[in-house]
Amino acid sequence: MDTQVLEKSYPVLGVDISTYSKEHFFEAVHSALDLPTGNGQPLFVVTVNPEIAIQAIIDNDFNQILHRSSINTADGVGISWAIRYLYGLHVDRITGSDSVEKICAIAAQKNNSVFLYGAQPGVAERASSLLKEKIEALHITGTYAPERNDLHFEDLPEPVQQQLREANVVFVALGAPAQEKWIYKNLPHLTHCKVIIGIGGSFDFITGDIKRAPLFMRKTGLEWMYRLYLQPSRWRRMLKLPLFALNIILIRASMQIPKSPRAHNMRQSHS
Ligand code: UDP
């Protein structure tokens, strides 16, 4: 499976991040959902944050998956900072939480169905009811909260397998890297799928089980701080953030080191 549709991407710690604008990203979703069922590879979206970029260094299987996804978007503020710092470019942040409702609206408009996989028992089901309240035409084939995040498709109850097979959009909420690994492993079974995306805690945000940070914190890139306040157990995961920043600063410094005099002389002698 190699579903690269990146137009232009920039590496951040070896992970290619797409510079799609939000508008362009949702156009890609539109195009994918316009395709007839079973035609071509599904659009496999990974929303990358600094934790994911660090994890990809230490987990080779995960790294390979990030090279085979269709679009890696800049989710965390750390990723958009790194792209600005390394390449002087602005990149729109495209997060799972901001995308679920919008993708559902596009799916409903195009008569495509969706499935909600993951999160704690009952959360995806409640999120499903709330989404249907907001988007009347939305067809949800089903929801499922697996007892383990590495459950294989064939181990799921038969009705769930059928609902997953029928869905044109599949949202997977198992946290990274489990959700991306689940997608990669099970995508061949999802025969009607056109768009698939790992969305972290988005169902919990939709149901209100976890509150999203106030808008000013989201806009100023402090959402991570708010989540740490709500879920202090995330502190261990947060240790990856300074490691990420340090790596980016070192890469930038190495980009600025002038070429050695020897290399310079060699080039001159050829001219
Ligand atoms: N989750 C799950 N199974 C697991 C671990 C996590 O279903 O083994 C769910 C969790 O309930 C939450 C979602 O995965 O709904 C995202 O978790 P996390 O907070 O790690 O993701 P983030 O939002 O930080 O990407």
Side-chain angles (χ1 to χ4, degrees):
M1 173 178 50
D2 195 339
T3 55
Q4 293 287 340
V5 296
L6 299 181
E7 278 196 339
K8 186 82 185 150
S9 63
Y10 290 84
V12 173
L13 303 190
V15 178
D16 288 333
I17 305 293
S18 154
T19 52
Y20 268 21
S21 65
K22 261 190 191 157
E23 197 188 345
H24 200 170
F25 170 73
F26 288 114
E27 269 170 27
V29 172
H30 265 277
S31 307
L33 294 183
D34 274 337
L35 291 174
T37 302
N39 192 331
Q41 294 286 353
L43 190 74
F44 171 15
V45 183
V46 181
T47 66
V48 181
N49 60 25
E51 269 183 86
I52 288 183
I54 291 288
Q55 185 65 28
I57 295 176
I58 53 184
D59 180 341
N60 191 46
D61 289 347
F62 187 40
N63 192 301
Q64 294 300 311
I65 292 171
L66 293 174
H67 281 92
R68 292 184 175 129
S69 47
S70 322
I71 304 180
N72 299 325
T73 71
D75 176 334
V77 65
I79 300 292
S80 54
W81 163 77
I83 290 189
R84 201 168 51 246
Y85 188 65
L86 293 174
Y87 308 110
L89 289 172
H90 166 83
V91 62
D92 275 357
R93 283 184 61 202
I94 298 168
T95 69
S97 324
D98 295 331
S99 306
V100 175
E101 203 177 314
K102 181 95 192 194
I103 295 176
C104 283
I106 300 171
Q109 188 193 329
K110 294 179 185 294
N111 224 2
N112 278 238
S113 58
V114 312
F115 189 97
L116 277 53
Y117 186 86
Q120 295 306 303
V123 177
E125 213 177 316
R126 278 185 282 127
S128 143
S129 307
L130 291 164
L131 284 166
K132 273 198 277 199
E133 263 174 37
K134 280 196 177 168
I135 308 162
E136 232 176 88
L138 182 62
H139 174 47
I140 298 182
T141 65
T143 68
Y144 190 67
E147 65 269 22
R148 289 199 338 263
N149 62 15
D150 61 349
L151 213 55
H152 195 268
F153 184 84
E154 280 141 5
D155 300 326
L156 298 169
E158 179 52 41
V160 175
Q161 291 188 20
Q162 189 52 32
Q163 291 163 354
L164 270 165
R165 264 192 226 104
E166 279 168 16
N168 303 122
V169 176
V170 180
F171 296 109
V172 183
L174 300 171
Q179 58 199 17
E180 286 74 23
K181 289 184 175 180
W182 188 90
I183 291 173
Y184 189 68
K185 195 163 69 180
N186 295 299
L187 201 45
H189 295 281
L190 310 180
T191 44
H192 287 46
C193 183
K194 302 178 190 176
V195 175
I196 190 158
I197 174 170
I199 44 115
S202 303
F203 298 153
D204 305 84
F205 289 136
I206 293 171
T207 57
D209 284 37
I210 299 177
K211 286 210 167 6
R212 276 204 87 176
L215 197 57
F216 83 92
M217 289 188 98
R218 277 185 259 161
K219 284 197 167 162
T220 49
L222 296 175
E223 191 162 15
W224 62 271
M225 206 186 268
Y226 190 77
R227 284 199 79 180
L228 185 59
Y229 159 71
L230 290 181
Q231 299 169 279
S233 59
R234 292 171 74 92
W235 72 269
R236 207 183 286 274
R237 293 171 50 170
M238 297 286 170
L239 294 178
K240 287 188 178 142
L241 297 183
L243 192 61
F244 174 82
L246 182 67
N247 269 280
I248 296 298
I249 289 166
L250 290 175
I251 289 171
R252 163 83 188 258
S254 73
M255 285 161 91
Q256 288 175 336
I257 293 172
K259 297 272 180 289
S260 71
R262 186 176 136 73
H264 181 68
N265 289 342
M266 277 170 69
R267 257 206 313 278
Q268 275 186 339
S269 69
H270 284 295
S271 60

